[in-house]
Amino acid sequence: MDDFLKLKQYHFTIMKSFHLNELAGFLGLFQKYTGAQLQEVVSAKDQLLLRFRYQQNYFLFFDLSMAKPVLFWLQKDIKLKKKTTPLALFLKKYFIDSVLQDVCIKNGEGRVLHFYFISKEHGQLEIEARLFPHGSNLIAKTETKSISWFKPKDLNTDVSEISPVANIDEIMQTKWEEYQDLSKPKVKKVDQSAKTKSLLERLENDLKNYPTRDYKSVADKVKATQNLNSAEDLGIDLSLAWYEAVKLLLEKDKKQVNKKLALSKRIEEVRLLLKEGKTIDQKANNDLFAAVDAKGRVKVLSDGRRAYVGKSAKDNMILLRKAKAWYLWMHVRDYPSGHLILQQNKGQVVSEADITELGLFLVKESGFSKSLVAGDMFDVQYTECRYIKPIKGDKLGRVHVQKEKVLRIRFKD
């Protein structure tokens, strides 16, 4: 079975539940594991996971989605979005440390499995698993008490002849693969071209309706008259000296002009993207600086990955906060270097050659390369961004590093 899998709650429209003869095939499977001890109970919405110990860990997993209930006997753990349920609490109280004694199907009940346990403290115990569509349920029983996942319904008589299948291991593996595929959330496709066109329309509308205030001419008037009356409607504090008001008005005019220029520049960029058949998301993915308000230098590796070094400590912190957990962080040890962030896909391998190339780039961008001569050695420390934490209250740019690796590099011009 596959390794850890984050399962979500979905009703199945393709996968079929186990039929009666397949469930009967489980009986022979479970006979191999009688004597297994129940050690852990985990519940989620419509799901229950029981961890057993029998020389190694085994996991009995139920999904009680009303349309297609299923169960699996797994050799590796799966991760659930935990949610406490009354039945799980009941199992933890009475069933933990109990031992699996037997599993059976009773004639006439249909797709119902009975799991029998023995507990030194609580005696005979049972889990009744009803696994037929639109009537699934789990019922846990002690000698005096019982609790169910859903309100129990009367069982219909099923006189079908039982003929256990022989290849239940193969069937379970196939259904488990189907279950994993159907458990994955469906990602809604977004028309990035339409999204980009919509952005362009919005930007053009913003530019067309951008409020324009006549700060420059008012500043000239105030300067000529040394009177602030004409600036009353422009949000200027009338208690200011006239020359301070002129300075403030000119700053507002400059800011207004720059904003309109920036808006016009962004419109041209988006128009160019559309002309080249690209979208805004493609550009954002290729340029981390474009996604954050930071400046610095960029190096593009041969495979297209991009490395960023902030222009200042503030820029470095902005990059670090916006970086994905699996991006690579790098710093030159014992030198006042910048912080390098390598933008890459999750799980992507960074070779020693990559580290060397990035280390030389970082040294040259950090400004102290002039103090080095060809052949000098320096050390770079690197790790994933998830292990870098800014030190609160300390100088901006100082960080706490965990799980770092160090590579010694020979400097070359």
Side-chain angles (χ1 to χ4, degrees):
M1 300 298 176
D2 288 342
D3 275 330
F4 298 98
L5 173 69
K6 293 183 178 179
L7 296 176
K8 300 188 177 180
Q9 327 305 325
Y10 295 93
H11 292 283
F12 308 118
T13 57
I14 301 175
M15 178 181 169
K16 294 182 179 180
S17 301
F18 289 98
H19 58 64
L20 181 57
N21 290 333
E22 289 173 335
L23 290 178
F26 274 90
L27 301 182
L29 172 67
F30 284 117
Q31 293 302 323
K32 303 175 186 177
Y33 301 101
T34 54
Q37 185 182 58
L38 178 60
Q39 296 190 330
E40 185 180 11
V41 176
V42 179
S43 61
K45 181 183 178 183
D46 295 338
Q47 296 172 326
L48 182 73
L49 184 69
L50 306 178
R51 180 173 65 85
F52 289 86
R53 185 69 185 175
Y54 188 82
Q55 298 179 346
Q56 69 177 69
N57 287 330
Y58 292 92
F59 302 87
L60 180 57
F61 173 63
F62 297 93
D63 189 311
L64 300 181
S65 299
M66 295 303 291
K68 306 288 183 180
V70 290
L71 84 160
F72 297 99
W73 182 251
L74 309 171
Q75 295 183 17
K76 292 192 176 182
D77 197 2
I78 57 178
K79 287 189 176 181
L80 303 181
K81 187 175 181 180
K82 296 181 181 179
K83 179 180 179 182
T84 302
T85 62
L87 185 135
L89 293 174
F90 186 87
L91 291 174
K92 289 177 182 180
K93 181 175 181 180
Y94 294 105
F95 282 67
I96 293 296
D97 295 331
S98 64
V99 175
L100 181 65
Q101 277 195 314
D102 194 17
V103 183
C104 75
I105 291 177
K106 296 181 180 180
N107 289 332
E109 287 187 346
R111 286 182 269 188
V112 181
L113 283 173
H114 296 267
F115 296 82
Y116 294 105
F117 299 80
I118 185 68
S119 167
K120 292 181 180 179
E121 184 177 357
H122 303 294
Q124 297 290 332
L125 305 171
E126 178 190 350
I127 296 177
E128 179 183 317
R130 300 183 178 185
L131 299 168
F132 41 87
H134 304 290
S136 59
N137 209 345
L138 287 176
I139 305 172
K141 306 173 185 177
T142 68
E143 293 176 347
T144 58
K145 301 177 181 179
S146 69
I147 189 172
S148 60
W149 195 285
F150 305 111
K151 184 177 179 180
K153 299 178 181 179
D154 293 335
L155 289 173
N156 296 323
T157 302
D158 187 341
V159 294
S160 302
E161 182 178 348
I162 300 176
S163 179
V165 298
N167 58 336
I168 189 60
D169 288 325
E170 181 181 338
I171 293 171
M172 190 190 305
Q173 176 66 36
T174 299
K175 286 187 178 291
W176 175 245
E177 292 171 358
E178 293 176 359
Y179 179 81
Q180 292 178 78
D181 289 339
L182 293 167
S183 297
K184 294 175 183 177
K186 306 303 179 186
V187 179
K188 184 178 179 181
K189 292 185 177 180
V190 178
D191 186 345
Q192 297 296 347
S193 178
K195 186 177 178 181
T196 306
K197 291 177 181 178
S198 177
L199 172 63
L200 178 59
E201 292 176 1
R202 188 165 69 251
L203 290 172
E204 289 174 336
N205 187 61
D206 288 346
L207 181 61
K208 180 181 178 181
N209 298 306
Y210 193 89
T212 301
R213 310 295 294 275
D214 199 5
Y215 295 114
K216 181 68 168 59
S217 62
V218 173
D220 291 341
K221 190 172 183 180
V222 170
K223 185 176 181 180
T225 63
Q226 299 184 7
N227 188 300
L228 271 61
N229 290 339
S230 57
E232 186 174 0
D233 296 331
L234 296 180
I236 300 298
D237 184 357
L238 300 183
S239 65
L240 291 173
W242 69 267
Y243 49 86
E244 292 178 342
V246 168
K247 182 180 179 181
L248 185 58
L249 286 165
L250 292 176
E251 287 176 353
K252 285 179 174 289
D253 181 70
K254 183 178 179 180
K255 188 176 181 180
Q256 176 179 259
V257 170
N258 288 340
K259 282 189 174 182
K260 293 185 72 173
L261 286 174
L263 194 54
S264 298
K265 182 179 178 182
R266 181 58 174 153
I267 289 172
E268 291 304 314
E269 289 174 350
V270 176
R271 284 175 178 167
L272 182 60
L273 284 175
L274 287 172
K275 184 178 180 180
E276 295 176 348
K278 299 179 181 179
T279 66
I280 50 174
D281 278 12
Q282 289 173 335
K283 185 175 188 299
N285 287 339
N286 287 334
D287 189 353
L288 189 57
F289 280 138
V292 298
D293 185 17
K295 297 179 180 179
R297 301 298 293 270
V298 180
K299 179 177 179 61
V300 182
L301 297 180
S302 59
D303 59 4
R305 284 176 294 169
R306 300 167 72 90
Y308 302 84
V309 178
K311 188 175 182 180
S312 65
K314 180 181 178 181
D315 293 323
N316 286 324
M317 286 300 100
I318 292 174
L319 286 171
L320 180 60
R321 292 189 182 99
K322 293 296 183 180
K324 302 291 186 183
W326 55 86
Y327 286 2
L328 187 79
W329 174 91
M330 182 185 293
H331 184 267
V332 181
R333 174 174 281 183
D334 299 326
Y335 283 92
S337 82
H339 296 208
L340 180 144
I341 303 292
L342 176 62
Q343 186 181 24
Q344 60 182 357
N345 294 327
K346 193 172 184 178
Q348 200 160 359
V349 176
V350 184
S351 68
E352 184 171 314
D354 292 333
I355 298 297
T356 300
E357 183 178 357
L358 294 173
L360 290 169
F361 169 69
L362 180 56
V363 165
K364 292 175 181 178
E365 290 302 320
S366 296
F368 62 84
S369 59
K370 294 179 181 178
S371 65
L372 300 176
V373 296
D376 283 351
M377 305 296 290
F378 63 93
D379 293 331
V380 292
Q381 52 185 152
Y382 60 97
T383 187
E384 290 185 348
C385 288
R386 71 178 82 241
Y387 301 122
I388 305 299
K389 305 295 180 186
I391 301 175
K392 293 183 179 179
D394 206 337
K395 184 179 177 181
L396 184 65
R398 289 177 59 85
V399 296
H400 180 65
V401 185
Q402 294 180 314
K403 298 188 178 182
E404 65 170 338
K405 295 180 181 179
V406 177
L407 180 66
R408 176 154 289 188
I409 300 173
R410 187 180 301 277
F411 180 74
K412 56 184 177 180
D413 295 325

